[in-house]
Amino acid sequence: MRHHALIQALPKAELHVHIEGTFEPELMFHIAQRNQVQIPYASVEEVKQAYDFHNLQSFLDIYYAGANVLIYEQDFYDLAMAYFEKCAADHVVHTEMFFDPQTHTARGIAFETVFEGLWRACQDAKAKWGISSHLIMCFLRHLSEEDAFETLAQAAPFKDRIIGVGLDSSEVGHPPSKFERVFAEARAQGYLTVAHAGEEGPPAYVWEALDLLRVSRIDHGVRSEEDAELTQRLIELKMPLTVCPLSNLKLCVVNDMSQHNIRRLLQQGVKVMVNSDDPAYFGGYMNDNFYAIADALDLSEEELKQLAIHSFEASFIDEAEKQKWITKIRNLAV
Ligand code: ADE
Ligand code: ZN
């Protein structure tokens, strides 16, 4: 319980959260009923019992099934507003939210339906809680590059409201190099780029994300530590790693939180910060992730502040906004 008051009080930015991964079982049941969609569970308890994962794929199978109940613009709005409510409670003041268009367009839901629901929630969250946000569209890496190109084309009418593209889903066997051309096209169109790499996949995938996809951040990246030269490169580049501690524990990337490398990476000078990934599935939102590592790794006040500072430094907000939040963090006394 050390430092919990500080963690609560720190302003934080969340840079790695999949909006489909914030779908709480209660809301899933509610929307399933509203849309008259069958789900293969009898109760909220039964859903939660199914959340017993042994690797990334075992989670993804359930995560994609859950998203099937989302059909209307209002569903995407409700999903995002529920997440923003958690942000407000955790003092997350800025978020850069991933969404997976292909999970929905493959089921016949229009890109526009997904996007406009999320966008309206972003506007309302700013008005209601003062929370700012950006949207990042991810390509599903288990699908083809051609499919990603098609998604990029569908995004064109909304381009000015999407800050970047990302890469998620089943990592092993789907290296960043598979998406080199579509990322080049996305960059040419003005999108920033990020990519999941080094979660379950090897350090070689992190090199590829840097060299071929020209990313501004690596999502996860915790396996980078296995390659000393790569770790050095990340430090030199000041390349952010959007680390997700509870996710790593639940998906067995680490066996115990006391073995998590976020503190070691921080001490070496890597720009790591804390994120929740898929909080409805992994047992906690931003502050729960902070509590878990603060307790297991005995983090100091200074280290906790540094993690929060990194979250703003690594964000896509403008320099003046960054400095405003960083100054608040530096001056915070709890
Ligand atoms: N999609 C949602 N969460 C993910 C994760 N942790 N890794 C890869 N793809 C994801
Ligand atoms: Zn993720």
Side-chain angles (χ1 to χ4, degrees):
M1 287 295 286
R2 278 180 75 227
H3 303 316
H4 285 206
L6 172 67
I7 291 165
Q8 175 62 45
L10 281 169
K12 293 160 291 267
E14 173 138 82
L15 309 180
H16 184 159
V17 59
H18 303 261
I19 198 60
E20 295 89 348
T22 69
F23 205 5
E24 290 288 345
E26 290 79 2
L27 185 60
M28 199 183 287
F29 264 82
H30 178 73
I31 294 181
Q33 253 171 8
R34 190 165 79 188
N35 293 348
Q36 307 207 312
V37 176
Q38 295 293 325
I39 50 174
Y41 307 103
S43 64
V44 165
E45 287 65 42
E46 215 177 290
V47 182
K48 288 182 178 164
Q49 273 164 23
Y51 293 179
D52 181 22
F53 312 118
H54 50 275
N55 60 18
L56 175 58
Q57 194 60 50
S58 64
F59 153 70
L60 289 171
D61 293 342
I62 287 185
Y63 161 86
Y64 293 130
N68 279 337
V69 309
L70 299 164
I71 298 176
Y72 301 106
E73 194 250 30
Q74 188 66 37
D75 303 340
F76 292 94
Y77 175 86
D78 290 345
L79 175 66
M81 282 307 269
Y83 165 64
F84 281 123
E85 204 164 328
K86 304 284 189 180
C87 289
D90 276 0
H91 204 195
V92 171
V93 298
H94 174 73
T95 174
E96 300 186 356
M97 193 190 286
F98 296 139
F99 67 109
D100 289 341
Q102 290 153 298
T103 300
H104 313 297
T105 53
R107 302 180 287 117
I109 313 295
F111 190 109
E112 180 181 11
T113 302
V114 180
F115 181 80
E116 293 296 355
L118 299 178
W119 178 258
R120 186 158 62 86
C122 291
Q123 306 314 298
D124 285 359
K126 180 76 191 166
K128 191 166 179 186
W129 295 291
I131 300 170
S132 58
S133 49
H134 286 311
L135 289 165
I136 298 173
M137 142 180 119
C138 286
F139 301 125
L140 298 180
R141 69 203 302 160
H142 67 273
L143 301 178
S144 68
E145 190 183 39
E146 191 187 346
D147 211 313
F149 267 114
E150 201 175 311
T151 304
L152 188 63
Q154 288 165 353
F158 314 98
K159 189 168 136 311
D160 295 344
R161 294 184 279 163
I162 300 174
I163 195 139
V165 302
L167 187 64
D168 65 0
S169 192
S170 321
E171 185 182 8
V172 174
H174 303 284
S177 50
K178 181 177 162 185
F179 296 91
E180 187 177 353
R181 287 145 298 261
V182 74
F183 267 64
E185 176 58 26
R187 288 196 313 277
Q189 291 184 16
Y191 292 97
L192 296 170
T193 62
V194 299
H196 283 53
E199 179 186 16
E200 282 189 346
Y205 285 20
V206 179
W207 281 113
E208 284 192 7
L210 296 175
D211 295 340
L212 305 181
L213 305 188
R214 308 241 146 240
V215 293
S216 301
R217 301 192 291 250
I218 297 285
D219 294 314
H220 292 295
V222 287
R223 286 197 57 195
S224 303
E225 197 188 28
E226 296 167 25
D227 179 338
E229 195 184 328
L230 174 59
T231 307
Q232 213 40 53
R233 187 91 185 105
L234 294 172
I235 295 166
E236 281 162 17
L237 291 171
K238 300 185 169 57
M239 179 59 58
L241 303 187
T242 64
V243 176
C244 308
L246 284 173
S247 166
N248 294 154
L249 185 65
K250 292 291 164 71
L251 300 186
C252 307
V253 171
V254 292
N255 295 322
D256 192 281
M257 200 58 98
S258 64
Q259 287 161 21
H260 202 286
N261 63 3
I262 190 168
R263 189 180 194 189
R264 280 201 304 276
L265 289 166
L266 182 68
Q267 287 175 341
Q268 286 179 77
V270 182
K271 198 182 282 293
V272 288
M273 89 297 300
V274 180
N275 303 271
S276 69
D277 205 5
D278 301 284
Y281 293 89
F282 300 150
Y285 289 78
M286 175 63 85
N287 287 358
D288 297 314
N289 275 273
F290 260 99
Y291 300 149
I293 55 167
D295 293 345
L297 303 174
D298 197 26
L299 296 180
S300 69
E301 237 179 83
E302 219 24 67
E303 287 169 326
L304 293 166
K305 283 190 171 186
Q306 200 54 53
L307 290 167
I309 288 170
H310 284 169
S311 76
F312 291 101
E313 285 177 346
S315 74
F316 297 142
I317 59 179
D318 68 43
E319 205 48 47
E321 271 289 292
K322 281 187 192 182
Q323 286 314 317
K324 179 188 90 179
W325 291 115
I326 291 167
T327 304
K328 273 190 204 281
I329 292 167
R330 291 228 161 90
N331 294 336
L332 187 68
V334 174

